[in-house]
Amino acid sequence: MDNAATTRPYDDVLETYMNVNKMYYANTSSIHQAGREAAKLLEASRRQILDLMGLEGYDCIFTSGATESNNIAIQSVLRHKKPFGRTVLLSELEHPSVINVGEVMKDEGFNVRYIRTLPDGTVDMAHLGELLDDDVVFVTVMAVNNIVGTIQPIREMIGMLKAYPKVHFHVDATQAVGKMRMDYRGVDSLSISAHKFHGVKGIGALIAREAETLSAIAYGGGHERNIRSGTVNLPGAVSMARALRNSDETLDAAEKRVYAYNRKVKEAVSGLHAVQVQPGGVPHIMNLSFTGAKGEVVVNALGTHDIFVSTTSACASKLKKLNETLLAMGSDQPVIEGSIRISFSSQTEEAEVDRLITALYAVHTEIGDVLK
């Protein structure tokens, strides 16, 4: 029940990963026959990913995952656009791989401003309109929030930003791709990570409308359009394309099934004292609070029932601070402190959901004395 952190790879994805490692282990940059064959497979994977996402005409730069993709997009585009403006707009809802890079870029002279959040967990479009001016060169908003699952108004933002042609619009689509259909045409760049949609860890992509607006932030042999140097992870890239195709083929049925799971859990906890469900959006992520308890206590208590959830994103789970998303939504401190994130995948089965509900009831009884 922690599938927003990572997912179990499809069996055939693992087979693909192993087969490519065995049969196409040549370096994709080598000029001999084996290298050319490996490079051909890499380009086929690149095209397949773009086709599946409906982004013909875009470029796909393979990276180690969304954190690296976000870093390349933010750092390289800002340095490129510095002569034309210094203001960067971030939503308050972003992952640490965006927020922390934005904060670091302040040291290079950029003015980082945050787009406010509405109580329902979406970005405040009116506030975005107020912040936009001729000095803004970069705007970034995640497609689906990783804590509560709210869907951000990406199409509406693309429309608004047409009046500001020098703005680069970046979208962290990590929690959306492979789990819901979204039209990304018009976005300047987006980040994806394979292990979020049943691929393997260590492979992701930065997809860009104009790759020439990107540049390296680490230097080497000039792989991946001279944007991301380092021997390309061909088994990862090929298996990522396979995972995306599998997810695309099963997405509609999986979404319907997961929506039913989401609704079942919400109905089950609706009558429990001091349990509050946060506003959400996508069915595969839900956030609820045991108000008065600490989220870590609830996570550990559920763990004794072999139910594994999280308090926040896995990347920030060891930081001792209140969750930024729930803070931005205006949640009270006891609600934030007692929050847990439950996340389903296309492989989640109803029997597991029933076990989750039984465990939630049990934990509610076990810690009942501290609930308010």
Side-chain angles (χ1 to χ4, degrees), residues 70-225:
N70 288 334
N71 268 269
I72 294 173
I74 297 170
Q75 294 186 50
S76 72
V77 172
L78 289 190
R79 287 167 185 153
H80 175 73
K81 287 184 173 284
K82 197 170 186 177
F84 311 105
R86 300 290 183 95
T87 299
V88 181
L89 304 183
L90 312 181
S91 85
E92 299 173 310
L93 303 166
E94 298 304 294
H95 186 272
S97 64
V98 170
I99 294 279
N100 291 343
V101 183
E103 289 297 313
V104 168
M105 296 308 287
K106 288 180 177 178
D107 295 337
E108 296 192 20
F110 289 97
N111 172 32
V112 177
R113 305 185 70 182
Y114 289 92
I115 311 164
R116 284 197 296 258
T117 307
L118 297 173
D120 67 359
T122 60
V123 294
D124 185 338
M125 291 297 292
H127 189 230
L128 172 61
E130 293 170 11
L131 293 175
L132 284 167
D133 60 31
D134 290 341
D135 194 58
V136 177
V137 291
F138 195 93
V139 175
T140 181
V141 173
M142 56 174 36
V144 169
N145 178 259
N146 58 318
I147 302 300
V148 295
T150 48
I151 303 167
Q152 303 306 318
I154 300 302
R155 298 306 309 169
E156 191 178 345
M157 295 184 72
I158 291 170
M160 179 181 283
L161 293 175
K162 284 181 179 175
Y164 300 88
K166 72 179 179 183
V167 171
H168 181 106
F169 183 32
H170 176 70
V171 172
D172 179 354
T174 306
Q175 294 293 348
V177 170
K179 299 174 181 176
M180 65 169 292
R181 301 196 191 284
M182 185 176 282
D183 183 359
Y184 298 103
R185 291 173 298 175
V187 166
D188 291 302
S189 59
L190 67 149
S191 302
I192 66 174
S193 207
H195 74 98
K196 302 292 188 178
F197 50 87
H198 305 287
V200 299
K201 296 171 182 64
I203 185 71
L206 174 59
I207 296 173
R209 184 161 63 166
E210 297 176 352
E212 58 269 24
T213 62
L214 304 171
S215 56
I217 60 170
Y219 299 94
H223 307 77
E224 293 297 284
R225 316 307 197 238

Side-chain angles (χ1 to χ4, degrees), residues 15 52 75 77 107 236 336 351 355-356:
E15 290 173 12
L52 287 166
Q75 294 186 50
V77 172
D107 295 337
I336 301 173
R355 283 181 47 225
L356 166 67

